[in-house]
């Protein structure tokens, strides 16, 4: 007789894992108990992020097989020893940062994002392309009741990344803020920028994105295939901040000249291309080029809260877990509008 009851997960669960660069396969894994300091999550939804390619294509050194996915939402199914402040049945999220250690030099200084012992979800351990995941307590994010799991998922990386970058940037309400790219990150970045009170410029390739950019809240639109974006930004007085979401190194280098004095180019999308910026642009006018890596779990909580308060959501397309390779391929081809989300209900 089966010992499984309705609320328990059976002894095995389905997952989609990368087995070699470029290869994803559906598999079954054995259920394990969460170790001390970790919880087990019954996953309901997981977003498909471009950074998943670092696992699937092997840009990071990956110990295959590895389950990708770092926009995970589900309910806690079991607590490991020593876990406090979380309970079974509670809905939680997990982003790219798997959880800080609490004792390294960065953690002791309050910088939990750059924890030197940070494990990346779906990179160093299995992530959310699965029905079940083991997650570290310090990486957990609270999910507000107002959000459906499929809607919360993309906010845990694409949302958190853009929200936190804008929130911590050296800008004030009313400043001119440009967002490069209207994709998975950018379409959220424009909404956050608008709701934070900035004058928002969306920059993307082609005239066809203008209508959507304005609907998302952009006051201005620059088609970078028709106009020099730096000159166009200077015509508005120059940007105090440019948030580069899905840009090549070349786009970042050319657009940096659209910054006004003391403006900042803030890069959140990784292209691995060199930034060819001459130093005079930085020295005269005191401009900066900086990077921002997602955010800690408290910033994750705030991202979701702010999204609910402001009515901000990602535009999503859902697919069941077993179609993960298809969802991933669609995202990689740039054909997702704008975020693919996997659902786990069978
Ligand atoms: Zn991501
Ligand atoms: Zn640490």
């Amino acid at each position: 007789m089966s010992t499984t009851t309705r609320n328990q997960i059976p002894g095995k669960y389905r997952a989609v894992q990368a087995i070699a660069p470029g290869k994803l396969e559906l598999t079954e894994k054995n259920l394990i108990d969460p170790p001390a300091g970790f919880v087990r999550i019954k996953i309901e939804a997981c977003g498909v992020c471009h950074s998943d390619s670092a696992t699937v294509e092997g840009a990071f050194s990956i110990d295959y097989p590895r389950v990708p996915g770092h926009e995970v939402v589900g309910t806690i199914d079991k607590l490991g020893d020593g876990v406090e402040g979380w309970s079974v049945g509670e809905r939680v999220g997990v982003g790219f940062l798997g959880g800080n250690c609490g004792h390294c030099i960065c953690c002791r200084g309050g910088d939990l994002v750059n924890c030197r012992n940070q494990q990346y979800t779906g990179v160093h351990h299995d992530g959310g392309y699965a029905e079940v995941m083991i997650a570290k307590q310090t990486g957990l994010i609270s999910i507000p009741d107002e959000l459906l799991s499929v809607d919360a998922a993309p906010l845990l990386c694409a949302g958190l990344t853009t929200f936190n970058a804008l929130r911590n940037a050296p800008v004030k309400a009313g400043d001119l803020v440009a967002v490069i790219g209207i994709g998975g990150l950018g379409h959220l970045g424009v909404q956050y920028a608008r709701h934070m009170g900035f004058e928002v410029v969306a920059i993307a390739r082609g005239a066809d994105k203008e209508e959507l950019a304005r609907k998302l809240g952009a006051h201005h639109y620059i088609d970078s295939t028709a106009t020099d974006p730096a000159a166009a930004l200077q015509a508005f007085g120059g940007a105090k901040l440019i948030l580069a979401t899905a840009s090549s190194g070349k786009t970042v280098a050319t657009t940096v000249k659209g910054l006004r004095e003391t403006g900042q180019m803030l890069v959140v999308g990784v292209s691995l291309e060199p930034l060819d910026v001459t130093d005079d642009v930085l020295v005269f006018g005191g401009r900066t080029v900086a990077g921002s890596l997602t955010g800690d779990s408290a910033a994750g909580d705030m991202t979701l809260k702010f999204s609910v308060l402001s009515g901000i959501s990602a535009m999503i397309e859902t697919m069941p877990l077993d179609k993960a390779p298809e969802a991933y391929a669609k995202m990689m081809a740039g054909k997702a509008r704008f975020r693919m989300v996997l659902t786990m209900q069978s």
Side-chain angles (χ1 to χ4, degrees):
M1 196 179 91
S2 169
T3 54
T4 303
T5 64
R6 199 155 167 262
N7 293 320
Q8 285 176 323
I9 299 171
K12 285 187 183 288
Y13 66 92
R14 295 182 309 148
V16 172
Q17 60 186 8
I19 49 169
K23 285 210 175 84
L24 284 169
E25 65 157 32
L26 183 66
T27 188
E28 274 204 334
K29 287 179 171 281
N30 291 322
L31 197 64
I32 58 163
D33 284 336
F38 287 73
V39 302
R40 192 169 68 198
I41 298 170
K42 187 177 181 200
I43 301 175
E44 293 174 4
C46 182
V48 177
C49 178
H50 191 269
S51 302
D52 295 343
S53 63
T55 296
V56 179
E57 313 300 330
F60 283 124
S61 96
I62 301 291
D63 187 10
Y64 292 111
R66 175 65 70 230
V67 177
H70 56 260
E71 293 184 338
V72 191
V73 181
T75 53
I76 295 178
D77 158 73
K78 192 161 192 184
L79 302 175
D81 286 342
V83 172
E84 290 177 4
W86 301 93
S87 48
V88 169
E90 195 171 352
R91 205 159 52 118
V92 292
V94 183
F96 183 66
L97 303 180
N100 60 287
C101 75
H103 57 74
C104 74
I105 188 171
C106 294
C107 284
R108 286 168 66 83
D111 175 9
L112 308 186
V113 167
N114 293 305
C115 168
R116 291 186 175 182
N117 302 306
Q118 188 83 254
Q119 300 280 296
Y120 298 152
T121 309
V123 175
H124 299 117
H125 54 267
D126 285 347
Y129 287 21
E131 291 172 329
V132 173
M133 176 187 168
I134 303 290
K136 197 171 183 179
Q137 174 185 2
T138 53
L140 298 179
I141 293 166
S142 292
I143 307 293
D145 291 342
E146 293 89 338
L147 288 175
L148 294 175
S149 294
V150 288
D151 291 327
L155 302 178
L156 298 172
C157 179
L160 172 54
T161 296
T162 50
F163 171 80
N164 204 42
L166 288 165
R167 189 165 75 126
N168 294 324
V171 276
K172 290 181 178 158
D175 282 342
L176 191 75
V177 169
V179 177
I180 308 179
I182 303 291
L185 270 70
H187 89 291
L188 285 164
V190 168
Q191 295 180 68
Y192 288 125
R194 176 61 185 251
H195 282 275
M196 287 180 190
F198 305 123
E199 183 180 0
V200 184
V201 188
I203 304 172
R205 297 174 60 81
D208 54 322
K209 296 245 175 87
E210 175 163 3
E211 192 186 337
L212 173 67
R214 290 189 184 274
K215 210 187 265 179
L216 294 169
H219 297 95
H220 315 284
Y221 181 78
I222 297 171
D223 171 4
S224 60
T225 62
T227 332
D228 169 16
L233 285 175
Q234 289 300 350
F236 293 126
K240 197 73 206 295
L241 180 80
I242 300 173
L243 186 70
T245 66
S247 350
S248 65
K250 190 163 170 282
T251 310
V252 171
T254 51
T255 316
V256 78
K257 292 176 189 146
L259 288 171
R260 56 163 283 187
E261 296 79 359
T262 72
Q264 183 177 85
M265 168 70 73
L266 191 49
V267 181
V268 292
V270 175
S271 72
L272 297 178
E273 290 176 19
L275 301 181
D276 189 10
V277 180
T278 55
D279 46 15
D280 61 314
V281 178
L282 305 182
V283 173
F284 295 95
R287 297 174 184 85
T288 52
V289 177
S292 176
L293 173 65
T294 180
D296 62 27
S297 47
D301 289 351
M302 194 58 77
T303 301
L304 299 181
K305 181 183 162 190
F306 187 86
S307 302
V308 170
L309 286 171
S310 311
I312 292 171
S313 59
M315 295 166 70
I316 61 166
E317 184 182 334
T318 61
M319 278 194 191
L321 174 64
D322 54 1
K323 294 252 176 76
E326 198 179 311
Y328 173 80
K330 191 165 179 180
M331 177 279 299
M332 288 299 279
K335 293 197 170 131
R337 290 292 173 269
F338 283 90
R339 209 66 173 170
M340 306 303 300
V341 179
L342 302 174
T343 56
M344 311 314 167
Q345 277 171 340
S346 45

